[in-house]
Amino acid sequence: MAAMERDMRALASGATVGWRRHGESIGRAAARAAGRLRRGAAATERDEGRAEAMRRCWSAFVEFVVRWGMSSEVWGVGARSGVCEALTRLACRRDDEGDGEDGEGTSYKPPHARESDENIAMCEKDACDLRAGACGALGALARLNGKALHGAWATMLPTSEHQLREKSVSTSLVKVIACDSSAKVRGAAANATMALFEGPASRQYLAIAERREAATSAGANGAASSSLAPGFGARVRSFSALSTTLGDMVIITLRALLTALSREKNAQCARELCKAVAALCDAVPFDRFPRDLLRETVDSIHAKLVHLSAETPSDRSTIQSALFGALASALSARGATRALDEYLSSDSSSSMIYRMISHAKGEVAGSRCEAFSVLRALVVHHTGAATLIGDELRELFPSAVCASGADDRVCQASARLLTDYLGSVSGSGQVRDDDEVDFGMIASTPALPSEVLRAAWTNAIESQLPTCALHKSALTRVAGLNVLTRVNSNVLTCFGSDVRTLDSLLSMPHSVLSGSHESVPAVRAAACRALGFLIYLPCVNLEETAAALLIAAEDVSKSVKIPAMWSLANLCAVNATRENRLCDDTVASLAKVLIASAAEQGDKVRASATRGIAHLIAASTFDTSHEWLHKAAQSLASCLTTGNAKTQWNACLGVAALLQNDSAMDVGAYWADFIVRMLLLLVRDAKNFKIRLHAAAALAVGARHERLTLAYVDSVSVLTLSLEALEIQSTAFESQSAMDFKYKPALICQLTTTLVSVLAVARVDGAIGDALKKSHAITLSTYQSLRDYLDGGNSDARVVASFKTAVPLVNKAIFDTSLNNIVASLLATQPSLSARALADAFGALAFSFSHP
């Protein structure tokens, strides 16, 4: 035992050089140590002295796990599972357990073997600290590298309700929450459970979880099998898919957390339970689960809120804050709209909704802000319920809240509620910055009739927004400007020909950027972002907007430059679609700012600047007087190989615009070969699939406009080799990220379209024939897939969608022209039997084949 204790101390201190250098060795050592501790526990815990030594060994082991965690190199899967299992067993272990034959132990001790009350209290405290430390170690591991623990979830989470029974030999963090007598240990277990579900990696892992069966079922005696997870724990299966196993874990864990929350008396522990419920709601796809599950969650949280009156004021404040957070997460969970809309629109939910409104009108600033967060989740994800309480919500908008002298945080929360309400009833919903979408014109069906919608926006323009604009709090002014990002085509329709009202909307961000009274960068940044959305409105004066944004682009604050450059790129995109375009002087000023930003600023600014340059080139007709064209071409060439992925693929779009613009190429034709070869390098070597996709699209545009010049043969070779590499690539092991898997079908289809566009150029070359003969199998397969699509025979939705979005579109005539050129090139190489056989194979794909 002494030797084991020394080993544990050495392990915890990291004294061994090999353990410091090699993470895998550390993992194996930890797994072996965990095994020794598990085996030694049963043999020593009856001996009090040896039991104390064992406790010290466990303590050292927990210290080691927290110290080293996953921060060394990569632990083996077996080591991770072994460590997690050992820590979970330790979290569930109690010193009063025996080692009877049934494995369940007994808490009875004869009088002569009992210790004094003081010693018992000390041992119990040490045991609680040790169990809480084990839970804390698991939480630390999850936060350091949550993805690495996914394989060990089965050792930490239950898949059956029977595993949560106190006398069950099964161990899990949830069992600690359900059965442990110490609030400290329960809180630590809840915190560790929350850590398991936090983060994007866990959301991706749980995205496959599902449980589509009924939420209740009768047991053998006709009664429900359990209050925790009826119908799911009692079922015995010989095999369960991973999605089903994860679904069981979700249902058992969530219901156990809700049950524990309803019974919990300790405020700190209840707070941790609420955080765990919130993390689980954020991670789980509830659209793949029974609808009743989310309703149970909302009802349980509301029931806990109702019974808070019996708590002390400090405890009530602590628990209430956490409950509001959990309720907001439940209302905004994935699938919550489908699961809760009908329930929230019924009378049965009115008490919960009006309780939130009551809290939002209260006197304590903290609870008011949290109640506003719940109402925002309700408004965004449950529009039908929000329209039913529109009159009550108007009492919480800025004109009423700010006039009452409320705290600045409450005023900001009120303005954010106004933003979400107007966006929801207008059909805007949630918005996010995305280079490739015209937000301002995107709209779903509005939730209110046109007259009512107009009245809501009129009230906002005349009363609510001026109140926000004049408020002393900068964050409230920011929230007021964010309302403008919810203006869409539905809002335009409801106002009709009322240009005055729309002009008043546009004047708000203009007054912030053009005047000198606003000194807070966050407000100026919000004004820039608002203009970036409003720029898509047909009544916007592009010259005035360009003048305001050019001023913002020179701002010394980086937080202002980022949205200013994003909005300038949107301005350039809109300019390319208007008949009355910007004058040459304004375009030159825009080009100067964009080119300088693409060369000097950070990645976010560079990406937007590069996109703006692309739109300016596409909308311009050049001659030798346009000095900025040469600098723009150099800037695009630089951005093709530097900066983040977004900068590079926007540079590819800019190069495509350059290759497509005949006047630009007449002025600078010497760029063509250099830029095309840079595109080929990206198609061949770029790790990011989206960069390769946009580079291939730009290359296709160059081929269609016959800009390939000396790189024609190299283009065919690179495209065929890239298609062949994708064909044999095992995406699950070789791609860089999940985004690669997402874009792989689109990349294959774009490479196919680009190859067809390149080979459709009327050119017969023996070198092309040699290149095609080397990769004839993949080329033939590629053409077959495109022919199936053109002929309407391809049923794969992803392939069809990818071909529809490929640039430029390929029709049957271009397809046949490409095949004619392939056949001619093959036969030009040498009229051998193999060449003619390949030519016949390609010719058989043609819709109408003219070559002899």
Side-chain angles (χ1 to χ4, degrees), residues 279-365:
L280 191 54
C281 289
D282 290 338
V284 173
F286 283 96
D287 51 350
R288 301 165 66 94
F289 284 80
R291 295 191 180 192
D292 290 344
L293 191 60
L294 259 185
R295 180 173 174 176
E296 292 174 28
T297 304
V298 171
D299 286 343
S300 297
I301 296 172
H302 181 226
K304 186 69 174 179
L305 276 170
V306 171
H307 293 95
L308 281 183
S309 56
E311 304 289 342
T312 62
S314 60
D315 287 351
R316 186 187 310 129
S317 176
T318 299
I319 301 174
Q320 182 176 275
S321 174
L323 286 171
F324 282 149
L327 186 56
S329 295
L331 292 175
S332 56
R334 174 181 161 184
T337 302
R338 178 186 71 94
L340 294 175
D341 262 5
E342 183 178 349
Y343 167 64
L344 292 174
S345 300
S346 64
D347 294 337
S348 56
S349 68
S350 59
S351 61
M352 184 270 291
I353 295 175
Y354 284 102
R355 184 176 296 274
M356 293 301 105
I357 294 175
S358 175
H359 281 290
K361 294 179 179 179
E363 297 180 356
V364 181

Side-chain angles (χ1 to χ4, degrees), residues 698-764:
L699 193 64
V701 171
R704 189 65 60 88
H705 289 79
E706 300 186 7
R707 313 288 189 198
L708 300 187
T709 62
L710 301 178
Y712 186 83
V713 177
D714 291 338
S715 299
V716 175
S717 177
V718 167
L719 290 169
T720 53
L721 288 174
S722 298
L723 283 166
E724 190 172 9
L726 287 172
E727 183 73 19
I728 64 175
Q729 181 189 55
S730 174
T731 305
F733 296 101
E734 297 182 23
S735 64
Q736 300 300 308
S737 67
M739 295 301 289
D740 290 354
F741 181 79
K742 175 182 177 181
Y743 286 106
K744 183 178 180 180
L747 176 59
I748 292 175
C749 293
Q750 181 60 64
L751 290 173
T752 300
T753 300
T754 302
L755 180 61
V756 172
S757 298
V758 169
L759 291 172
V761 177
R763 177 173 176 176
V764 178

Side-chain angles (χ1 to χ4, degrees), residues 111-234:
H112 67 274
R114 297 174 187 169
E115 303 178 42
S116 66
D117 293 341
E118 182 178 351
N119 288 339
I120 291 174
M122 183 62 67
C123 290
E124 288 179 351
K125 181 182 182 301
D126 292 343
C128 289
D129 290 343
L130 188 56
R131 298 200 303 276
C135 294
L138 288 172
L141 291 180
R143 290 183 178 89
L144 284 169
N145 192 345
K147 185 177 181 179
L149 295 190
H150 289 164
W153 274 21
T155 67
M156 295 180 284
L157 297 174
T159 56
S160 166
E161 61 179 27
H162 302 298
Q163 297 175 7
L164 301 182
R165 293 177 180 174
E166 188 170 3
K167 292 188 177 182
S168 171
V169 296
S170 299
T171 58
S172 68
L173 283 173
V174 183
K175 183 179 179 181
V176 177
I177 296 171
C179 302
D180 202 286
S181 59
S182 169
K184 179 179 180 179
V185 179
R186 294 196 304 273
N191 185 273
T193 303
M194 174 190 67
L196 288 179
F197 296 116
E198 281 184 326
S202 293
R203 285 195 291 272
Q204 291 175 5
Y205 188 51
L206 284 174
I208 64 172
E210 64 177 346
R211 214 59 175 102
R212 301 188 182 276
E213 300 169 20
T216 59
S217 67
N221 57 359
S225 58
S226 172
S227 61
L228 286 176
F232 291 99

